[in-house]
Amino acid sequence: MLGGVENHSLPRTAAFFDLDKTVIAKSSTLTFSKSFYQGGLINRRAVLRTAYAQFVFLAGGADHDQMERMRQYLSALCRGWNVQQVREIVAETLHELIDPIIYDEAASLVEEHHAAGRDVVIVSTSGAEVVEPIGQLLGADRVVATRMVVEDGVFTGEIEYYAYGPTKAEAIRELAASEGYDLARCYAYSDSVTDIPMLEAVGHPHAVNPDRGLRREAVARDWPILSFSRPVRLKQRVSSLPMPSRSALVVAAAVGAAAATAGLMWLAGRRRTPALSEFAVKSKELRAGLPLPPRQE
């Protein structure tokens, strides 16, 4: 149960939500994979290799070293992508594909925290350009997300700010200082062991659909474990919430992260092929270390 309505004579409080597999039922960038492939941003080989990375991540979580190799790989992959093209692809798919996969339980928590007088903040490793419209859709008050470097209308492959692991906790503390949040009375929600620093930063941490590492920590620390299982079309559930305009929808995050999940949706809809057999053979190879791809021409 959440606490009651905030006493406004006390310091302000907030609820911090991870996004992927916490508020929405899958990766926020997975939904764009088929469109990125069809739009020519990634080739079949890149789809397959990014699928390896996502397979490892989904199958058993990923430790810090694996995530760092993944970040380097994906940063290289998105180098040279035209930002406007990516914006157009995202704009065409966000309303249709994100709205139906928001967890009903998460949407209810957002409403309850707002009713109690708390701010709602989305804190995601995905990119600001995709997280901000989702935050607007949910009625979030603020967003913390990854930012990519753009020069001359294309992604350089460099990351300006990476919202991952300890940097999420740092961002929360900075927000608390600037907004006057009392972190001891704040709430946080995540599915990933990599978000333990964010969960530790607040007085009321919650594990949502936790991976193995986070479940183990949550049990050891007696943190509440929540199970979200009911995706809902938010537009129908809360018709009063405004939908973000198409012009507001821009590329995902570590657009690299977009590529990270790029293969799964496309591969899932196809029959087994020699490429999928290669996927089975090489998934073991990824666990030993993900090599950087050749520069995309």
Side-chain angles (χ1 to χ4, degrees):
M1 292 292 293
L2 299 179
V5 176
E6 292 292 308
N7 182 337
H8 294 292
S9 65
L10 297 174
R12 300 172 62 203
T13 57
F16 302 95
F17 288 84
D18 177 44
L19 181 59
D20 298 349
K21 296 169 63 181
T22 300
V23 173
I24 63 177
K26 53 188 173 183
S27 167
S28 56
T29 55
L30 176 61
T31 56
F32 305 121
S33 60
K34 186 175 181 180
S35 296
F36 281 137
Y37 174 74
Q38 292 176 337
L41 293 177
I42 51 178
N43 58 28
R44 185 170 180 174
R45 182 184 181 193
V47 167
L48 188 62
R49 296 182 72 181
T50 54
Y52 300 159
Q54 183 67 355
F55 173 78
V56 171
F57 180 77
L58 292 177
D63 61 23
H64 173 77
D65 291 341
Q66 287 172 320
M67 288 297 293
E68 180 60 20
R69 289 193 295 270
M70 191 182 302
R71 181 189 69 81
Q72 293 174 2
Y73 169 72
L74 297 171
S75 296
L77 185 65
C78 75
R79 185 182 301 132
W81 285 12
N82 181 279
V83 176
Q84 184 58 36
Q85 181 185 5
V86 178
R87 286 175 176 171
E88 291 171 357
I89 290 173
V90 173
E92 289 171 358
T93 59
L94 185 65
H95 291 300
E96 175 186 356
L97 298 176
I98 294 296
D99 183 38
I101 63 172
I102 296 171
Y103 282 122
D104 188 27
E105 299 93 336
S108 294
L109 270 177
V110 169
E111 293 168 356
E112 291 176 33
H113 282 298
H114 273 153
R118 302 182 189 100
D119 285 354
V120 169
V121 184
I122 303 296
V123 187
S124 175
T125 305
S126 293
E129 296 86 353
V130 104
V131 178
E132 287 172 359
I134 294 174
Q136 181 182 350
L137 180 66
L138 290 164
D141 300 282
R142 289 170 184 80
V143 161
V144 175
T146 295
R147 296 189 300 271
M148 299 293 291
V149 176
V150 176
E151 291 182 1
D152 299 323
V154 301
F155 294 104
T156 67
E158 298 175 352
I159 296 177
E160 178 183 353
Y161 170 76
Y162 190 37
Y164 169 76
T167 62
K168 285 188 176 183
E170 293 169 8
I172 285 175
R173 294 187 185 98
E174 290 174 3
L175 266 179
S178 63
E179 300 296 328
Y181 298 143
D182 179 0
L183 287 178
R185 295 168 54 236
C186 288
Y187 294 70
Y189 303 86
S190 177
D191 71 292
S192 175
V193 68
T194 62
D195 282 340
I196 284 178
M198 179 178 85
L199 297 173
E200 290 175 330
V202 302
H204 301 283
H206 294 72
V208 177
N209 298 340
D211 60 24
R212 288 193 296 267
L214 180 56
R215 181 175 294 276
R216 183 166 54 248
E217 289 294 323
V219 170
R221 302 180 190 219
D222 200 27
W223 290 347
I225 298 176
L226 307 180
S227 178
F228 292 176
S229 60
R230 300 192 306 272
V232 64
R233 185 172 289 277
L234 189 65
K235 187 166 59 174
Q236 295 176 349
R237 183 181 184 276
V238 188
S239 59
S240 61
L241 286 180
M243 296 290 287
S245 64
R246 175 164 294 194
S247 62
L249 311 178
V250 283
V251 65
V255 170
T261 58
L264 290 184
M265 177 177 288
W266 178 71
L267 291 172
R270 299 178 64 89
R271 302 176 66 87
R272 283 188 65 89
T273 66
L276 287 179
S277 298
E278 183 185 0
F279 174 89
V281 171
K282 291 191 176 180
S283 60
K284 181 178 179 181
E285 176 182 317
L286 175 66
R287 294 179 182 274
L290 187 66
L292 290 176
R295 174 74 175 269
Q296 298 290 313
E297 296 298 328

